Amino acid sequence: MQLVVARVGRAHGIKGEVTVEVRTDEPELRLGPGAVLLTDPASAGPLTIETGRVHSGRLLLRFAGVRDRNGAEALRNTLLIAEVDPDEQPEDPDEYYDHQLMDLDVVTKDGMEVGRITEISHLPSQDLFVVERPDGTEVLIPFVEEIVTEIDLDEQRAVIDPPPGLIDDRAEIDSSMDTENASSKDDEDSSGADA
């Protein structure tokens, strides 16, 4: 099975290094020296990682055969793809590969259907589930322990406990309108009592 593990960014310096946007929780395993990666577009690879280092919080890689800035710049926006055994599991039991999470049904803890995971977006601060609702719209669910309370691979579902407004903006609006209506009703009742 193939997993996207990084996307090549811009060239760094003049000796063929590139910045990469890491898309794996195991960069030391997937993006270490000697790793051979497939590419999208396929014509750019396969690429063998020659060196890797962190500079100012960003991972820099140099590939075998890429020796100058022009060669590095030609790889910009190329996806790096690792071949992974489909039965392989992450070392940490609380971690998951993207392919394990794709197409999981998302439900709230009280059983309400939210939708289906169609994509996992890896941002610098956190990962997000892109969830397609039954009506075709999408909602973004932060993949954090406080919100995603359970991943059940056997049942093919992710259970969430969303804060107000995360999956339904109307819930927050409705509750504030109910509060306003209750306040207005109290005002009417108290002004009627004074008369």
Side-chain angles (χ1 to χ4, degrees):
M1 177 183 49
Q2 298 180 343
L3 293 180
V4 174
V5 293
R7 183 181 65 82
V8 177
R10 64 178 190 258
H12 179 83
I14 60 171
K15 295 183 179 177
E17 283 185 312
V18 294
T19 62
V20 292
E21 172 192 314
V22 176
R23 295 188 179 178
T24 175
D25 289 334
E26 301 170 313
E28 64 286 340
L29 176 66
R30 306 285 178 216
L31 299 171
V36 178
L37 301 169
L38 301 175
T39 60
D40 182 7
S43 59
L47 294 171
T48 302
I49 298 175
E50 195 170 85
T51 64
R53 65 186 178 102
V54 176
H55 175 72
S56 298
R58 294 203 55 109
L59 180 61
L60 302 179
L61 296 179
R62 182 175 17 231
F63 301 105
V66 179
R67 294 283 172 240
D68 60 21
R69 185 174 187 88
N70 291 339
E73 196 59 44
L75 294 173
R76 192 172 194 162
N77 293 321
T78 298
L79 295 177
L80 302 177
I81 302 166
E83 277 288 344
V84 178
D85 180 340
D87 297 327
E88 185 178 326
Q89 301 290 323
E91 290 178 12
D92 185 334
D94 291 329
E95 289 183 2
Y96 302 91
Y97 291 133
D98 287 4
H99 72 275
Q100 294 175 292
L101 302 171
M102 292 295 290
D103 294 323
L104 292 185
D105 293 322
V106 178
V107 296
T108 62
K109 64 180 183 173
D110 55 5
M112 183 183 88
E113 180 187 0
V114 178
R116 180 180 57 85
I117 299 173
T118 58
E119 184 181 339
I120 291 86
S121 178
H122 300 281
L123 302 178
S125 58
Q126 67 190 11
D127 294 337
L128 293 173
F129 291 159
V130 179
V131 177
E132 182 178 317
R133 299 180 192 208
D135 66 5
T137 61
E138 290 184 337
V139 62
L140 301 176
I141 308 287
F143 187 22
V144 294
E145 192 175 344
E146 297 79 25
I147 296 173
V148 180
T149 59
E150 180 186 354
I151 298 290
D152 187 336
L153 296 178
D154 293 331
E155 294 293 321
Q156 286 292 290
R157 68 180 188 162
V159 179
I160 64 170
D161 184 11
L166 179 66
I167 59 172
D168 189 357
D169 297 335
R170 291 172 296 201
E172 202 167 277
I173 294 167
D174 288 346
S175 66
S176 65
M177 289 177 75
D178 290 344
T179 306
E180 287 174 20
N181 290 339
S183 297
S184 298
K185 180 81 173 129
D186 289 345
D187 292 344
E188 288 171 14
D189 290 345
S190 60
S191 60
D194 291 340

